[in-house]
Amino acid sequence: MEWCPVDAIIITPQESRINPDLCIGCGECKVTCNYEAVKVSGGNTNTRAVQEKMVEYALGGIKGKEKKMGYFNFLMDITPECDCCGWSDRPIVPDQGFLYSDDPVAIDQASLDLVNKARGFEDSALKENHEPGQDKFRGVHSDVDPEDQLRHAEKIGLGSRKYKLINID
Ligand code: SF4
């Protein structure tokens, strides 16, 4: 209830439920709940839809400012959950460094690839896919395709998934 931005969660002694008329499908309650008690359902609220909405909002946010934007990704303390969660955990892979790009999709694709190329920490929330080249985020969230967001971002014109890494020591 604390995390819902639109007060859509109702908890009484008799019931716990989400008011579908108020819910905007942001997914905050789903990622915040430590007990996987929340199931957000409906045509526009599954995980893929939330990822697609995120990149659509990002596209709206940069509209008209494309040539003035630059992006930094800090691949440090790569924890199993999203940074927006109110808690943290041990990293699942070693730190990979800083990335810069003028393309928000290319930088995220490069970041994902770097994380997947790393060897995962056995003593972390990573349950499987520890070997270099295996999908680390699937190793934590087996039901989420981390590429959904990138595919949709490229499709709607937010950027390109193609990139060339240039190392600066
Ligand atoms: S997804 Fe959860 S947090 Fe987001 S609006 Fe719906 S009930 Fe509230």
Side-chain angles (χ1 to χ4, degrees):
M1 290 176 75
E2 280 177 36
W3 280 78
C4 179
V6 292
D7 294 329
I9 300 174
I10 299 155
I11 300 178
T12 69
Q14 289 76 39
E15 65 171 356
S16 303
R17 67 184 175 89
I18 292 171
N19 182 340
D21 295 330
L22 293 178
C23 177
I24 56 174
C26 69
E28 283 287 338
C29 55
K30 191 173 189 321
V31 297
T32 302
C33 180
N34 283 331
Y35 305 99
E36 297 184 11
V38 182
K39 302 278 181 271
V40 183
S41 60
N44 67 343
T45 54
N46 60 36
T47 307
R48 180 194 238 166
V50 170
Q51 291 194 69
E52 291 182 351
K53 277 189 273 186
M54 279 198 295
V55 293
E56 287 167 9
Y57 294 153
L59 181 64
I62 66 167
K63 207 76 186 161
K65 303 186 275 289
E66 290 89 343
K67 301 273 184 241
K68 298 178 182 172
M69 303 292 285
Y71 303 89
F72 288 93
N73 279 5
F74 294 78
L75 300 185
M76 301 177 66
D77 296 329
I78 300 154
T79 50
E81 303 293 344
C82 177
D83 290 347
C84 62
C85 289
W87 66 91
S88 194
D89 202 317
R90 190 197 192 310
I92 58 172
V93 294
D95 292 346
Q96 298 296 310
F98 306 154
L99 273 65
Y100 170 79
S101 176
D102 60 2
D103 185 319
V105 182
I107 195 172
D108 276 2
Q109 180 69 62
S111 299
L112 179 64
D113 291 345
L114 283 170
V115 168
N116 286 337
K117 276 183 197 157
R119 177 172 294 285
F121 289 130
E122 303 274 347
D123 57 348
S124 70
L126 194 61
K127 305 280 189 302
E128 52 193 18
N129 297 355
H130 295 94
E131 295 301 314
Q134 292 184 310
D135 190 328
K136 301 299 177 299
F137 294 108
R138 281 258 197 202
V140 180
H141 305 281
S142 59
D143 57 334
V144 178
D145 184 348
E147 307 230 7
D148 277 344
Q149 190 172 320
L150 294 163
R151 273 192 290 270
H152 191 62
E154 187 172 59
K155 185 175 151 198
I156 64 175
L158 184 60
S160 168
R161 295 178 69 181
K162 294 196 181 88
Y163 64 88
K164 181 177 173 191
L165 272 182
I166 300 170
N167 285 316
I168 301 171
D169 295 323

